[in-house]
Amino acid sequence: MATTFALISVLSCLLMVVSNSMAAEFSVEQLPSPLLPLGEGPVWDVDTQSLFYCDIRGAAILRYDYAENKTYSATIDGVSPVSPIILVKGKPDQFVLGTGNTLVLVRWDGCSEKATLLKTVGDLGECEKHVRFNDGKVDPKGRLYVGTMRIEALGDVLDQTEGKFYRFEGKVGGKFFELKRNVTVSNGLTWVEQTGKFYYADSGTRDIKEYDVLENGDLQNETVLYDLKVDGKNPDFVADGMTSDAEGNLYVATWGGSKLLKLNPRTKKIELEIPIPAKQVTSAAFGGPDMDELFVTTAHTSDQDPPAGALFKVTGLGVKGPEMYKMILTE
């Protein structure tokens, strides 16, 4: 396995792209990491210089240690599936996880093969047993936003609209404030300081939506920023996770598309396609000592060959990402 990692890393993708009449060279490298059934939810922790992410189907949480160039993983007894993983402000060894239709708090030292379940933080209740949490992130004010989708065992997840999107109150036993309903797969959320907007992807609609954010965290003025359909026809991929750089550009993972799309919200145009050697590209997050490296999670499905399911790193993009925020959680 180590030999395979080394060979694939050496065969990294080197591409030349012309943007604004300037040449930019970037490379894509596979990092030493397990091939996950469904890697998701990357979040960079500046304090530990680590990337945390999760394996939804494998019910594991993972940490890529930048200095060691090594990935650690852990499972939690009684917690499955797992998504997302959320960093907690002031508590470096504690994480909020989505599991089924509940949010739980766990303790993990970042190295051990087992993490400890501490308590339930939030519960959507019996009426939402048919859904599970999928993607979630923290906004600049420390508020958690998280969305749901119908569980896979009930059929095609894109052929229904039973998911919802919430803002969580931020305390143990807190309330969920419903922001959006009739969602297929709640995905790809990010905030951009330059535009003052929030961006969101419901995978089934094949578009990226833009919102204004009110002072209390509610959303309004939904508009379609970018439609992935061509001449009214769906592409052979859907929008998955999403992040943004310090210049306000969006980076959209494509489930089924083997690439990331760099989308400029001001021009509403795709400025760059970043090929990833895995068909199911699930999400991305900027990190590294200078916040200029883009980490990419992928999935390893039954019909995919390695390196599908690995963690990748894109360097040489010539941009930096903003620091990712930690959730403010109170008792």
Side-chain angles (χ1 to χ4, degrees), residues 203-249:
S203 295
T205 62
R206 272 82 170 183
D207 59 29
I208 308 300
K209 291 184 172 66
E210 180 183 78
Y211 300 83
D212 291 321
V213 184
L214 301 179
E215 184 64 27
N216 69 351
D218 287 349
L219 306 177
Q220 67 176 12
N221 301 328
E222 175 183 291
T223 60
V224 174
L225 173 73
Y226 189 83
D227 194 339
L228 294 169
K229 295 184 287 293
V230 179
D231 297 327
K233 297 181 179 179
N234 290 335
D236 57 0
F237 61 86
V238 300
D240 205 314
M242 179 167 54
T243 192
S244 53
D245 65 27
E247 298 175 1
N249 300 298

Side-chain angles (χ1 to χ4, degrees), residues 37 75 90 93 98 109 130 150-151 154 175 186 189 195 211 215 217 225 244 248 258 263 275 281 297 300 304 314 327:
T75 56
D93 64 341
D109 61 10
H130 61 295
R150 190 176 67 179
I151 58 177
L154 296 179
K175 297 179 181 178
S186 191
L189 45 155
T195 61
Y211 300 83
E215 184 64 27
L225 173 73
S244 53
S258 303
L263 171 61
V281 184
T297 53
H300 176 69
Q304 300 293 307
V314 184
M327 179 183 180

Side-chain angles (χ1 to χ4, degrees), residues 2 85 130 133 149 189:
I85 179 170
H130 61 295
F133 285 115
M149 56 179 280
L189 45 155

Side-chain angles (χ1 to χ4, degrees), residues 320-331:
K320 295 185 178 183
E323 179 179 337
M324 298 188 76
Y325 304 102
K326 299 183 179 183
M327 179 183 180
I328 297 175
L329 180 65
T330 64
E331 293 294 330

Side-chain angles (χ1 to χ4, degrees), residues 122-182:
D123 192 335
L124 290 176
E126 288 296 323
C127 63
E128 297 291 328
K129 283 292 186 183
H130 61 295
V131 302
R132 69 166 176 82
F133 285 115
N134 188 51
D135 206 356
K137 282 185 181 176
V138 178
D139 79 348
K141 294 186 177 182
R143 299 176 295 206
L144 174 62
Y145 289 71
V146 64
T148 61
M149 56 179 280
R150 190 176 67 179
I151 58 177
E152 291 88 337
L154 296 179
D156 186 349
V157 297
L158 296 177
D159 190 29
Q160 50 75 42
T161 55
E162 296 181 38
K164 296 177 182 178
F165 185 57
Y166 304 92
R167 174 172 51 84
F168 183 63
E169 189 173 7
K171 65 179 182 180
V172 175
K175 297 179 181 178
F176 290 92
F177 297 93
E178 184 182 312
L179 304 178
K180 185 176 176 61
R181 58 172 51 201
N182 300 322

